[in-house]
């Protein structure tokens, strides 16, 4: 008897466990292998509603659950025509919630890229449910997608106020502020968006650009530099970083930024042209004329009439072949002053020239000197312009007034460009000589 009792207890325990296992297995078989009761309910809803609609396409009791099913599963293309059908029936069926149905139509359209078409439905939904998060959010989204940022911003902000704990709404608010040129507000919301999703490169670029617009160029530069390798935002970030470095007079770093941008694959044509244009300008300022010309030639091959590329190519080709003209046009202030002093002496090489004063003006350099030789002596004023354009009459009138004020006997106005016809007429009978590029080139050849 002592042995029978434990054996009986063990047998009962085994039977209980086996029964539980059989019950679990039977439940699994009942639910099926791909989705359980939910899958069965979905299939039932679709089958029953489809059958009803086949007999009556305007059956509200079939349209509503089927539309709700597709909407909950984000099958927007299937849900949309059902909700549109319900709206058409709403006049004869007061049980249809018009506000919610308009909202569902609008949401489906926004999700399907039909933002413009969604506006009327979402506006109707907003009138019916002005304090609902979804109506404010999706109408704000639709207005953002259609470019109406001024109207989108308050709606998105209201959605955030209604549901402050919602994740992901700071990004669209920040982007709407950025696109609407409200850069200070954009910085605030984009920072929050990046706290939620640090990998959002679009928000990161918009944050940097907004910071730059707000005057925080140093902080923006760090972000642009970080984004330079990015395949989507790298080219624009390289351009922005290069522009900031150029303003800081860090031309080597600016050139590096532009070069990084140009190495990226599939650059939009507009950015490709602008990066080359800015890079050429950097190289010219660094006196790397041949490399700068190569950048301009690349632009010309794509767009032959881009900005002033043709004029720049002509100008810098000449500079590249004439070192003295290159020095005249591109040298630093101290080197340019030294060159002009030598030119003054060459003008009167058989006379004694005493330079009395040198003035560096915004667009020119003036040298006042006294000239003596065996036959005469003069007090003369030289003004040097280094541009390739045309000097007009107003500049010569100003120069003539300066000659009178300094009590000079004669004045020489020199340019690497030309003088207008009015300027030439003005000097008739006045003690002024105008020296244009061709004559200047002859004097430059005499400079050692």
């Amino acid at each position: 008897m002592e042995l029978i009792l434990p054996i009986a207890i063990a047998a009962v325990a085994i039977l209980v466990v086996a029964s539980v296992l059989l019950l679990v297995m039977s439940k699994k078989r009942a639910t099926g292998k791909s989705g359980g009761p939910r899958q069965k309910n979905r299939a039932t809803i679709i089958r029953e509603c489809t059958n009803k609609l086949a007999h009556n396409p305007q059956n509200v009791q079939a349209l509503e659950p089927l539309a709700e099913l597709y909407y909950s599963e984000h099958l927007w293309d299937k849900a949309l025509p059902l909700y549109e059908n319900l709206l058409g029936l709403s006049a004869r069926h007061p049980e249809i919630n018009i506000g919610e149905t308009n909202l569902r139509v609008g949401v489906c359209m926004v999700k399907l890229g039909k933002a413009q078409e969604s506006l009327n439905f979402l506006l109707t939904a907003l009138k019916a449910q002005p304090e609902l998060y979804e109506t404010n959010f999706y109408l704000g989204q639709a207005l953002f997608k259609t470019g109406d940022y001024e109207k989108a911003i308050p709606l998105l902000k209201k959605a955030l106020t209604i549901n402050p704990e919602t994740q992901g709404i700071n990004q669209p608010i920040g982007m709407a502020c950025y696109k609407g040129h409200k850069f200070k507000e954009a910085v605030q919301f984009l920072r929050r968006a990046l706290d939620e999703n640090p990998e959002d490169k679009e928000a990161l670029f918009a944050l940097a650009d907004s910071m730059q617009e707000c005057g925080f160029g140093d902080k923006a530069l760090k972000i642009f530099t970080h984004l330079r390798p990015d395949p989507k935002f790298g080219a624009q970030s390289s351009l922005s970083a290069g522009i900031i470095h150029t303003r800081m007079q860090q031309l080597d770093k600016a050139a590096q930024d532009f070069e990084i941008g140009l190495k990226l694959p599939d650059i939009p044509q507009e950015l490709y042209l602008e990066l080359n244009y800015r890079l050429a300008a950097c190289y010219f300022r660094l006196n790397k004329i041949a490399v700068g010309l190569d950048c301009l030639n690349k632009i010309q091959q794509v767009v032959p009439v881009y900005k002033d590329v043709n004029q720049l190519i002509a100008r810098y080709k000449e500079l590249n072949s004439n070192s003295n003209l290159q020095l005249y046009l591109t040298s630093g202030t101290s080197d340019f002053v030294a060159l002009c002093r030598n030119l003054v002496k060459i003008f009167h090489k058989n006379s004694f020239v005493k330079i009395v004063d040198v003035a560096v003006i915004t667009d020119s350099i003036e040298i006042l000197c006294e000239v003596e030789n065996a036959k005469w002596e003069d007090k003369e004023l030289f003004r040097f312009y280094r541009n390739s354009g045309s000097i007009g009459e107003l500049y010569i009138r100003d120069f003539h007034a300066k000659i009178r004020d300094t009590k000079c006997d004669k004045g020489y106005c020199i340019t690497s460009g030309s003088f207008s016809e009015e300027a030439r007429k003005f000097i008739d009978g006045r003690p002024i000589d105008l020296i244009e590029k061709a004559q200047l080139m002859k004097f430059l050849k005499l400079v050692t």
Side-chain angles (χ1 to χ4, degrees), residues 309-345:
V309 164
N310 290 331
Q311 295 92 317
L312 289 173
I313 288 175
R315 179 187 181 191
Y316 283 100
K317 271 186 177 178
E318 185 176 26
L319 285 178
N320 202 35
S321 61
N322 189 318
S323 58
N324 286 329
L325 182 61
Q326 186 179 142
L327 180 63
Y328 185 90
L329 288 172
T330 64
S331 61
T333 302
S334 58
D335 289 336
F336 183 53
V337 169
L339 176 62
C340 292
R341 289 170 70 101
N342 287 333
L343 286 170
V344 168
K345 293 175 182 177

Side-chain angles (χ1 to χ4, degrees), residues 165-398:
E165 303 303 319
T166 302
Q167 293 285 311
I169 193 170
N170 285 295
Q171 201 266 8
I173 298 176
M175 291 304 300
C177 290
Y178 170 65
K179 296 283 187 180
H181 296 170
K182 297 180 183 294
F183 298 112
K184 190 174 181 181
E185 286 187 81
V187 169
Q188 171 189 351
F189 287 103
L190 289 169
R191 278 177 169 162
R192 293 178 190 171
L194 287 163
D195 287 339
E196 295 172 356
N197 181 14
E199 300 303 315
D200 188 342
K201 299 296 178 63
E202 182 182 23
L204 189 60
F205 175 81
L207 174 63
D209 208 27
S210 298
M211 284 179 167
Q212 184 181 13
E213 293 290 343
C214 292
F216 302 112
D218 52 341
K219 294 180 179 179
L221 180 59
K222 292 179 181 178
I223 299 175
F224 286 136
T225 303
H226 170 73
L227 283 174
R228 287 182 309 183
D230 185 78
K232 185 174 181 181
F233 298 100
Q236 184 63 62
S237 296
S238 298
L239 178 61
S240 298
I243 290 171
I244 295 173
H245 276 132
T246 301
R247 288 174 185 163
M248 297 167 67
Q249 302 300 318
Q250 297 179 6
L251 299 177
D252 286 322
K253 290 184 178 180
Q256 184 183 43
D257 292 326
F258 299 137
E259 287 168 349
I260 289 172
L262 286 166
K263 289 177 182 176
L264 293 168
D266 303 321
I267 308 171
Q269 180 175 296
E270 182 182 352
L271 284 173
Y272 174 81
L273 297 171
E274 190 63 20
L275 283 164
N276 270 300
Y277 188 83
R278 298 271 185 174
L279 182 57
C282 274
Y283 282 141
F284 292 145
R285 291 178 64 182
L286 292 166
N287 288 325
K288 297 180 179 179
I289 294 176
V291 191
L293 280 170
D294 184 54
C295 294
L296 294 182
N297 287 328
K298 289 177 182 177
I299 295 172
Q300 197 179 49
Q301 289 172 8
V302 179
V303 179
V305 291
Y306 185 77
K307 293 186 177 182
D308 58 342
V309 164
N310 290 331
Q311 295 92 317
L312 289 173
I313 288 175
R315 179 187 181 191
Y316 283 100
K317 271 186 177 178
E318 185 176 26
L319 285 178
N320 202 35
S321 61
N322 189 318
S323 58
N324 286 329
L325 182 61
Q326 186 179 142
L327 180 63
Y328 185 90
L329 288 172
T330 64
S331 61
T333 302
S334 58
D335 289 336
F336 183 53
V337 169
L339 176 62
C340 292
R341 289 170 70 101
N342 287 333
L343 286 170
V344 168
K345 293 175 182 177
I346 289 171
F347 270 83
H348 298 295
K349 60 182 179 180
N350 295 322
S351 303
F352 174 74
V353 179
K354 178 184 177 183
I355 294 177
V356 177
D357 186 41
V358 177
V360 179
I361 309 172
T362 304
D363 57 355
S364 61
I365 285 178
E366 288 183 351
I367 296 179
L368 181 64
C369 62
E370 295 172 352
V371 183
E372 295 181 24
N373 62 28
K375 297 180 181 179
W376 52 268
E377 61 180 55
D378 270 346
K379 186 178 181 183
E380 297 179 350
L381 183 66
F382 287 77
R383 179 180 283 184
F384 294 89
Y385 288 100
R386 49 176 178 176
N387 67 332
S388 55
S390 177
I391 304 294
E393 179 187 347
L394 289 176
Y395 290 91
I396 306 307
R397 283 183 179 275
D398 175 73

Side-chain angles (χ1 to χ4, degrees), residues 10-24:
V12 170
I14 291 169
L15 286 171
V16 170
V17 171
S19 299
V20 171
L21 288 173
L22 287 170
L23 181 62
V24 171

